[in-house]
Amino acid sequence: MVAFRLSSRLAAFEGMVRDLARNVIRPLALEADRTHSYPASFYDSLAAMGYSGGQVPEEFGGEAAAGEPAAGSESKKRPSSSNRLMVLGSEWLAYGDPSVILNIPGPGLGGPPVQITGTPEQKRRFFAPFKPGQPVAWGAYALTEPHCGSDAKAIRTRCVKDGDHYILNGRKTYCSNGARAVWTVVFATLDPEGGRAAQRAFVVEKGTPGFSVGKLESKLGLRACETAELVFEDCRVPVENLLGGEEYYQRAGGTSFKTAMKTFDKSRPMVAAMAVGIARAAYHELRDFVSEGHLGGRPILRNAPLRITLATMRRKIEAARLLCLRAAWMADHGEPNSKEASMSKAYAPQIGQWVCSEALHIMGGHGAQRERFVEKLYRDVKVFDIFEGTGQIQRLVVARRLMPNIRIQ
Ligand SMILES: Cc1cc2nc3c(=O)[nH]c(=O)nc-3n(C[C@H](O)[C@H](O)[C@H](O)COP(=O)(O)OP(=O)(O)OC[C@H]3O[C@@H](n4cnc5c(N)ncnc54)[C@H](O)[C@@H]3O)c2cc1C
């Protein structure tokens, strides 16, 4: 049986985030884009409202997400709805302003590796800064290096065991929230020629000797987001910060590469949903613009090709949203979802780019004005086809899942 209606809990959550996006975030978005940041009080108020960038598991101090059964309750065995909540929240926060979603205080992309691979003690330690009621804090995730992003097995940041420490040397690039993070999950290798088996993940805490922040990127879009270069020079990381502990890597198949990839199964539908939110925002901007405007004395909306374009936009946005919700539903039910997660990520950013481009084009010079929201959306949407795996990489993942015995070069 397929149910296409959101449960009342999910629908209530969606309505709440939609109101926040429209009434609180949107009025601040253009100024944040111009100044490259939101005011600190904005983050405090988001945290006070219970919003967290990445979930803190309930057993490690987080709160049950809206719609989730409380820990220990009879209904605990029911499937989770946390992935669908994250997808819906991602869509509507991005609708308000795509920069906000990457800025929300919380463990961020660093959360899933800690949750997936961390020992109970590591989860207790590293989720502690994000418990409700604490000052706002960020976590981060550093995989990409100046010479490699898509080919994650090619990382060169070295880790060498030295007594009860590992010594890290190398550079990471494009790390979201990397400068302000209280800790960052850093992927390194024992041997750059050793492929996946040689990779390890560490939680590197702010202030660790040998760890510093390099340049902050100035970007085309998402200008209110912090994107940092991280530098490791003889950085001494205690063995207790090796994610999963030594035993994890001694077990067959214990490699941080799996940790990095499993993170994507949860995060890709969310990132795809952000592109859906951007597409919906551009669609609404265009719809409102043409509803008010006139062309040659006639209301623009009387123009049949334009009406068809609007209908096509809406159809593609809904299709993209369903792909995201399906991948999230599978994750909530504990089903393998790599293929479906990549399908959503391959599709939604393309739709987002097309809708933003068409909207700006149809609005003409008005669309290109700096103070118009659609101009910002047009700049913001591109990166959703780049980070968390580019569109090409998603299509390759899907092809490999469909044809596992054929290697595509
Ligand atoms: C705003 C922003 C935030 C980011 N945040 C983070 C973060 O928090 N943590 C992090 O680790 N990284 C982050 N990234 C990095 C991002 O994940 C990488 O940019 C992305 O994975 C692409 O890697 P690359 O830039 O090295 O491009 P490349 O991998 O060099 O790709 C360049 C081009 O080649 C294509 N290509 C590559 N390989 C293949 C192939 N096998 N087949 C066909 N085409 C291929 C790609 O699709 C792309 O078009 C961020 C990037 C940005 C822009």
Side-chain angles (χ1 to χ4, degrees), residues 258-292:
K258 279 189 178 171
T259 304
M261 295 304 118
K262 277 190 180 174
T263 300
F264 291 142
D265 293 345
K266 283 176 179 280
S267 61
R268 281 176 177 161
M270 285 167 51
V271 175
M274 295 172 204
V276 174
I278 299 172
R280 196 185 294 283
Y283 166 80
H284 283 170
E285 290 294 317
L286 176 63
R287 187 197 58 190
D288 293 349
F289 179 81
V290 297
S291 300
E292 292 157 11

Side-chain angles (χ1 to χ4, degrees), residues 102 109 141-145 148-151 173-176 219 222 227 383 386-393 396:
L102 272 76
L109 265 186
Y141 174 99
L143 177 65
T144 307
E145 300 188 358
C148 80
S150 302
D151 188 9
T173 189
Y174 304 126
C175 183
S176 300
K219 308 183 294 299
L222 299 187
T227 311
V383 76
I386 297 176
F387 60 18
E388 295 286 305
T390 67
Q392 282 90 342
I393 296 302
L396 285 176

Side-chain angles (χ1 to χ4, degrees), residues 96-178:
D97 177 8
S99 282
V100 161
I101 188 90
L102 272 76
N103 272 334
I104 299 181
L109 265 186
V114 174
Q115 173 66 353
I116 292 165
T117 307
T119 63
E121 170 59 14
Q122 288 173 336
K123 292 180 194 181
R124 192 192 59 71
R125 267 178 71 203
F126 298 127
F127 283 124
F130 308 107
K131 285 183 188 171
Q134 310 258 70
V136 295
W138 288 266
Y141 174 99
L143 177 65
T144 307
E145 300 188 358
H147 73 284
C148 80
S150 302
D151 188 9
K153 64 181 182 310
I155 57 170
R156 288 189 202 140
T157 295
R158 290 294 292 267
C159 56
V160 177
K161 182 111 186 262
D162 180 29
D164 54 4
H165 284 75
Y166 277 86
I167 301 176
L168 267 58
N169 277 290
R171 267 169 198 267
K172 295 288 178 180
T173 189
Y174 304 126
C175 183
S176 300
N177 297 315

